[in-house]
Amino acid sequence: MTVRQRLLEVLRADPEIEVVGEASDGKRAIELCHELDPDVVTLDMMLPVMTGLAATEYIMAHHPTPILVVSASFNRGELFKTYDALAAGAVDVMEKPRGDDSDADWDEQFRAAVKLVSRIKVITHPRARLGALGRSSNAVPAVASRHPPPSLSPTPSAGGSRRSRKAELIAIGASTGGPAALVAVLSAIPSGFPIPIVIVLHIDEVFGAAFADWLDSQTHHRVAYPRDGDVVASYKGRVAMAPPGRHLVVRAHRFGLTTDPPRHSCRPSIDVLFDAIAEDYAAAAAGCILTGMGRDGAAGLLAIRRQGGAAFAQDEATSVVYGMPREAMLNGAAERILPLDQIGAALTALATVDARGAFEP
């Protein structure tokens, strides 16, 4: 039995799900999206004629539809294509069935994921449209190229005013829609940025292993998983990312990794990191919550704001899912709510500059 046949069998066993079509290649998947207007599409990355990534880019550019990627987690090349698909607008990813004891609950998890993804309202994805413009439906769109680094001069914050408050550590949390949002934010922050940036992204543990390497390849910033005990200041000019399956904390200005219980069903948790930096850095901490489902990060961002630190959240119009940012707005944590294309500039404005307008070391 092929994986596609297995998926069809699992979905058809649920009376709440109607399978309206199936495609054996990416080009046919695009055609069926136009013909049938489905509520959700499940998509493999490794497809003939037109890859799953190319199909994702085209669908999100021309017929936006919630996409659940069903992919293998052990192949680095397929992992990178999965990350590219998420950055192009796919909503979520789930591992293919392995055909062993680990599949015990797979059918139920797959059906639940399909139902959840189908309820997410998606919009035309800018990155996908850039990737798909000018290409015919039987061509394979290329992955977006590495962004050229901006100049070392900081970008003014929205509205032209600069903050007098400066930061010593910036933490960013993201979930659904996070890969594309993180690329956008990091690409807008100049290279040589003197403040360590720390990221927590909700991504299934089996898919997280190579994400830091992928994110490193997408922008001009070096991205890595820190080791337990690393000095935070050693990440000036770099980005530290919480490793999959472990909480990332900061104590005495050093990184720590823990396997404490999940918070909000998440490990790593944004709240865990934000709470830690609020205590360790006080007013010198800055936090930002990007697109994502749930409420992880809102309480931690409030802790940062109460300590006098800067606290930002992405706005509803540019969020794939306005869940976590909305919670940060409702609980009063977000002092500024910004569209995605202004967040990089707002974070850049937290750095100290000299009289020439260049970053101070």
Side-chain angles (χ1 to χ4, degrees), residues 24 32 57 76 81 85 135 137 150 194 212 232 254 264 271 275 303-304 309 335 337 349 358 360:
S24 59
L32 289 178
E57 290 182 321
R76 184 178 175 87
K81 287 182 174 64
R135 298 183 178 93
S137 61
V232 173
R254 288 180 178 270
H264 308 299
D271 268 337
D275 284 347
I304 291 173
E335 62 173 312
I337 299 170
E360 289 186 0

Short mmCIF file of all heavy atoms in Angstrom, two decimals, residues 24 32 57 76 81 85 135 137 150 194 212 232 254 264 271 275 303-304 309 335 337 349 358 360:
data_model
loop_
_atom_site.label_atom_id
_atom_site.label_comp_id
_atom_site.label_asym_id
_atom_site.label_seq_id
_atom_site.Cartn_x
_atom_site.Cartn_y
_atom_site.Cartn_z
N SER A 24 -1.77 12.23 -7.94
CA SER A 24 -0.54 11.45 -7.87
C SER A 24 0.70 12.30 -8.10
O SER A 24 1.82 11.82 -7.98
CB SER A 24 -0.58 10.31 -8.89
OG SER A 24 -0.75 10.83 -10.19
N LEU A 32 -6.64 20.22 -9.17
CA LEU A 32 -7.79 19.83 -8.35
C LEU A 32 -8.16 20.92 -7.35
O LEU A 32 -9.33 21.06 -7.00
CB LEU A 32 -7.49 18.51 -7.63
CG LEU A 32 -7.46 17.27 -8.52
CD1 LEU A 32 -7.10 16.03 -7.70
CD2 LEU A 32 -8.81 17.06 -9.20
N GLU A 57 3.89 26.45 -3.18
CA GLU A 57 4.11 27.84 -3.60
C GLU A 57 3.01 28.30 -4.55
O GLU A 57 2.49 29.42 -4.43
CB GLU A 57 5.48 27.97 -4.26
CG GLU A 57 6.64 27.82 -3.29
CD GLU A 57 7.99 28.00 -3.97
OE1 GLU A 57 8.14 27.53 -5.12
OE2 GLU A 57 8.88 28.60 -3.35
N ARG A 76 17.50 14.80 5.32
CA ARG A 76 17.80 16.22 5.47
C ARG A 76 17.26 17.04 4.29
O ARG A 76 16.71 18.13 4.48
CB ARG A 76 19.31 16.42 5.59
CG ARG A 76 19.73 17.87 5.85
CD ARG A 76 21.24 17.95 5.99
NE ARG A 76 21.69 19.31 6.11
CZ ARG A 76 21.78 19.98 7.26
NH1 ARG A 76 21.41 19.39 8.38
NH2 ARG A 76 22.21 21.21 7.30
N LYS A 81 13.04 20.93 2.37
CA LYS A 81 11.89 21.22 1.51
C LYS A 81 10.63 21.44 2.35
O LYS A 81 9.78 22.28 2.01
CB LYS A 81 11.68 20.08 0.51
CG LYS A 81 12.71 20.03 -0.60
CD LYS A 81 12.41 18.91 -1.57
CE LYS A 81 13.36 18.95 -2.78
NZ LYS A 81 14.76 18.73 -2.39
N ALA A 85 8.36 24.76 2.45
CA ALA A 85 6.90 24.74 2.25
C ALA A 85 6.19 25.49 3.37
O ALA A 85 5.23 26.23 3.12
CB ALA A 85 6.40 23.31 2.17
N ARG A 135 6.11 31.68 -13.76
CA ARG A 135 6.37 30.28 -14.04
C ARG A 135 5.09 29.60 -14.48
O ARG A 135 4.01 29.88 -13.98
CB ARG A 135 6.91 29.58 -12.79
CG ARG A 135 8.24 30.15 -12.32
CD ARG A 135 8.72 29.35 -11.13
NE ARG A 135 10.01 29.85 -10.68
CZ ARG A 135 10.17 30.75 -9.74
NH1 ARG A 135 9.12 31.28 -9.18
NH2 ARG A 135 11.36 31.15 -9.39
N SER A 137 2.54 26.25 -14.86
CA SER A 137 2.12 25.29 -13.85
C SER A 137 2.90 24.00 -13.88
O SER A 137 2.82 23.21 -12.97
CB SER A 137 0.62 24.98 -14.03
OG SER A 137 0.40 24.40 -15.31
N PRO A 150 21.30 43.87 5.00
CA PRO A 150 21.19 45.32 4.99
C PRO A 150 22.50 45.95 5.48
O PRO A 150 23.40 45.26 5.94
CB PRO A 150 20.06 45.60 5.99
CG PRO A 150 19.37 44.29 6.18
CD PRO A 150 20.40 43.24 5.95
N PRO A 194 24.29 43.91 17.40
CA PRO A 194 25.07 43.60 18.60
C PRO A 194 24.32 42.95 19.75
O PRO A 194 24.91 42.64 20.77
CB PRO A 194 25.57 44.99 19.01
CG PRO A 194 24.47 45.92 18.60
CD PRO A 194 23.94 45.35 17.31
N ALA A 212 17.39 24.98 12.61
CA ALA A 212 18.36 26.07 12.81
C ALA A 212 19.26 26.20 11.59
O ALA A 212 19.59 27.32 11.15
CB ALA A 212 19.18 25.84 14.07
N VAL A 232 25.43 33.98 27.20
CA VAL A 232 24.52 34.65 26.27
C VAL A 232 25.25 35.69 25.43
O VAL A 232 25.03 35.80 24.22
CB VAL A 232 23.35 35.30 27.04
CG1 VAL A 232 22.50 36.15 26.10
CG2 VAL A 232 22.49 34.25 27.72
N ARG A 254 23.54 33.05 31.30
CA ARG A 254 23.98 31.85 30.58
C ARG A 254 22.76 31.05 30.14
O ARG A 254 21.73 31.06 30.82
CB ARG A 254 24.87 30.96 31.47
CG ARG A 254 26.25 31.53 31.73
CD ARG A 254 27.07 30.60 32.61
NE ARG A 254 28.41 31.11 32.85
CZ ARG A 254 29.46 30.83 32.07
NH1 ARG A 254 29.32 30.00 31.04
NH2 ARG A 254 30.65 31.33 32.35
N HIS A 264 1.73 24.67 28.23
CA HIS A 264 0.77 24.84 27.13
C HIS A 264 0.96 23.74 26.09
O HIS A 264 0.83 23.98 24.89
CB HIS A 264 0.93 26.21 26.47
CG HIS A 264 0.89 27.37 27.41
ND1 HIS A 264 -0.20 27.65 28.20
CD2 HIS A 264 1.82 28.31 27.71
CE1 HIS A 264 0.06 28.73 28.93
NE2 HIS A 264 1.28 29.14 28.65
N ASP A 271 6.76 30.84 26.94
CA ASP A 271 6.61 31.37 28.29
C ASP A 271 7.80 31.03 29.18
O ASP A 271 8.24 31.86 29.98
CB ASP A 271 5.32 30.82 28.93
CG ASP A 271 4.12 31.72 28.71
OD1 ASP A 271 4.31 32.93 28.47
OD2 ASP A 271 2.99 31.23 28.79
N ASP A 275 9.77 34.11 30.76
CA ASP A 275 9.82 34.24 32.22
C ASP A 275 11.27 34.31 32.71
O ASP A 275 11.60 35.11 33.60
CB ASP A 275 9.11 33.06 32.89
CG ASP A 275 7.59 33.16 32.83
OD1 ASP A 275 7.08 34.25 32.50
OD2 ASP A 275 6.93 32.15 33.11
N ALA A 303 5.36 39.40 31.78
CA ALA A 303 6.42 39.45 32.80
C ALA A 303 7.55 40.37 32.35
O ALA A 303 8.11 41.14 33.15
CB ALA A 303 6.95 38.04 33.07
N ILE A 304 7.91 40.30 31.06
CA ILE A 304 8.95 41.19 30.53
C ILE A 304 8.51 42.64 30.63
O ILE A 304 9.27 43.51 31.07
CB ILE A 304 9.28 40.82 29.07
CG1 ILE A 304 9.98 39.46 28.99
CG2 ILE A 304 10.15 41.90 28.41
CD1 ILE A 304 10.17 38.94 27.58
N GLY A 309 10.84 45.90 30.37
CA GLY A 309 11.40 45.55 29.07
C GLY A 309 10.45 45.87 27.93
O GLY A 309 9.26 46.07 28.13
N GLU A 335 3.06 46.13 24.39
CA GLU A 335 3.03 47.59 24.38
C GLU A 335 2.91 48.13 22.97
O GLU A 335 2.40 49.23 22.75
CB GLU A 335 4.27 48.16 25.06
CG GLU A 335 5.59 47.82 24.37
CD GLU A 335 6.76 48.56 24.98
OE1 GLU A 335 6.64 49.79 25.17
OE2 GLU A 335 7.79 47.92 25.27
N ILE A 337 1.77 46.75 18.93
CA ILE A 337 1.26 45.71 18.04
C ILE A 337 1.57 46.18 16.62
O ILE A 337 1.07 47.22 16.19
CB ILE A 337 -0.24 45.49 18.25
CG1 ILE A 337 -0.49 45.03 19.70
CG2 ILE A 337 -0.78 44.48 17.26
CD1 ILE A 337 -1.95 45.01 20.09
N ALA A 349 15.77 49.06 16.53
CA ALA A 349 15.82 50.33 17.25
C ALA A 349 16.18 50.15 18.72
O ALA A 349 16.45 51.13 19.42
CB ALA A 349 14.48 51.06 17.13
N ALA A 358 26.14 54.18 13.68
CA ALA A 358 26.50 52.78 13.57
C ALA A 358 26.31 52.08 14.92
O ALA A 358 26.32 52.73 15.98
CB ALA A 358 27.96 52.63 13.12
N GLU A 360 27.03 50.33 18.30
CA GLU A 360 28.16 50.26 19.23
C GLU A 360 28.41 48.80 19.57
O GLU A 360 27.47 48.01 19.68
CB GLU A 360 27.83 51.04 20.52
CG GLU A 360 27.81 52.55 20.31
CD GLU A 360 27.63 53.29 21.62
OE1 GLU A 360 27.52 52.62 22.66
OE2 GLU A 360 27.60 54.52 21.60
#
